[in-house]
Amino acid sequence: MNVMRKLVHLTTISGLIAFGFLMTVIAHAEKADQDKPIILEAEQVSVNDVQQIYDLKGQVLLIKGSIVVTGEDGHIKVDPEGYEFVDVKGSADTTASFRQRREGLADEFMQARGTQVNYNAKTEVLTITGDASLKRLLNMQMLDQLRGWKIEYDDVKQYYRVVPPADAKPEDLPLARAILSPRRKATLDK
């Protein structure tokens, strides 16, 4: 009888936790960004309008709605459906960066820096490589922060992942680090 009571208790707690996750308000990338024009600035811009390929060199700035990407070398490919695939690299002196407002609250942003930033607008997956950092900010206060060699962030699935290089030896790696705010508290404070 005691075992049955514990099983019912654990099932009830698991159900309440799952219900709590479902009730949490989840913010996604700003959907209005999809319909905005792309503004490109760089020292050199090469445009292949037939293939929808844009190459940028020197002080790259890409703006599309609330998305702002910076770096030193950029490559943008637009697929036939109109989705952008952005690849921006930093230089020896500067990092590449990405910033996007999230859907919902006016002052919630995702902010990333690294040697290279890749963003797939179709899947809404952001990949930051090389001394990578990713932050989720609300009213300029950090809610979540990740650091590592490579960070993948899937905005649709709300999924973070920190990955080491494929050929790295454990003794050569910096530790992956994450600071994550409780979702319930972050939602209540909003």
Side-chain angles (χ1 to χ4, degrees):
M1 203 58 133
N2 224 358
V3 173
M4 186 64 146
R5 207 176 300 153
K6 286 181 182 178
L7 182 61
V8 169
H9 182 69
L10 286 174
T11 304
T12 304
I13 289 174
S14 298
L16 288 173
I17 291 171
F19 180 73
F21 283 125
L22 289 173
M23 295 306 291
T24 303
V25 177
I26 296 175
H28 294 283
E30 182 90 353
K31 299 302 176 203
D33 289 341
Q34 296 171 354
D35 300 324
K36 303 288 186 194
I38 297 177
I39 300 167
L40 302 173
E41 288 185 14
E43 292 173 6
Q44 294 179 14
V45 178
S46 172
V47 177
N48 183 329
D49 215 18
V50 174
Q51 294 182 343
Q52 294 286 289
I53 296 173
Y54 309 94
D55 287 310
L56 304 105
K57 301 261 188 251
Q59 296 185 29
V60 172
L61 173 64
L62 177 150
I63 301 171
K64 181 173 171 105
S66 73
I67 296 172
V68 177
V69 183
T70 65
E72 280 299 311
D73 186 26
H75 180 80
I76 297 110
K77 170 88 171 116
V78 182
D79 75 3
E81 297 174 53
Y83 291 104
E84 297 87 9
F85 301 88
V86 177
D87 180 16
V88 175
K89 297 175 184 169
S91 69
D93 300 328
T94 61
T95 59
S97 69
F98 176 94
R99 182 175 167 99
Q100 182 177 27
R101 184 170 14 143
R102 294 173 53 91
E103 189 77 28
L105 300 172
D107 293 328
E108 186 174 6
F109 289 86
M110 293 304 288
Q111 184 172 300
R113 291 191 175 279
T115 304
Q116 185 169 359
V117 171
N118 296 315
Y119 180 67
N120 182 331
K122 186 172 193 170
T123 61
E124 296 186 36
V125 172
L126 173 66
T127 305
I128 311 102
T129 310
D131 194 20
S133 70
L134 177 70
K135 296 177 184 177
R136 183 170 67 99
L137 305 166
L138 177 62
N139 297 323
M140 298 310 289
Q141 291 182 352
M142 184 185 62
L143 297 179
D144 298 339
Q145 179 181 19
L146 287 94
R147 292 193 63 82
W149 181 80
K150 178 179 180 181
I151 300 171
E152 297 171 349
Y153 173 64
D154 185 326
D155 189 55
V156 174
K157 295 177 184 174
Q158 298 289 298
Y159 178 77
Y160 300 118
R161 185 167 92 157
V162 181
V163 182
D167 59 347
K169 297 176 187 132
E171 62 271 9
D172 297 335
L173 291 176
L175 290 175
R177 180 177 179 169
I179 301 170
L180 305 172
S181 296
R183 293 290 183 227
R184 179 178 224 181
K185 181 175 183 343
T187 303
L188 292 175
D189 289 347
K190 297 175 187 176

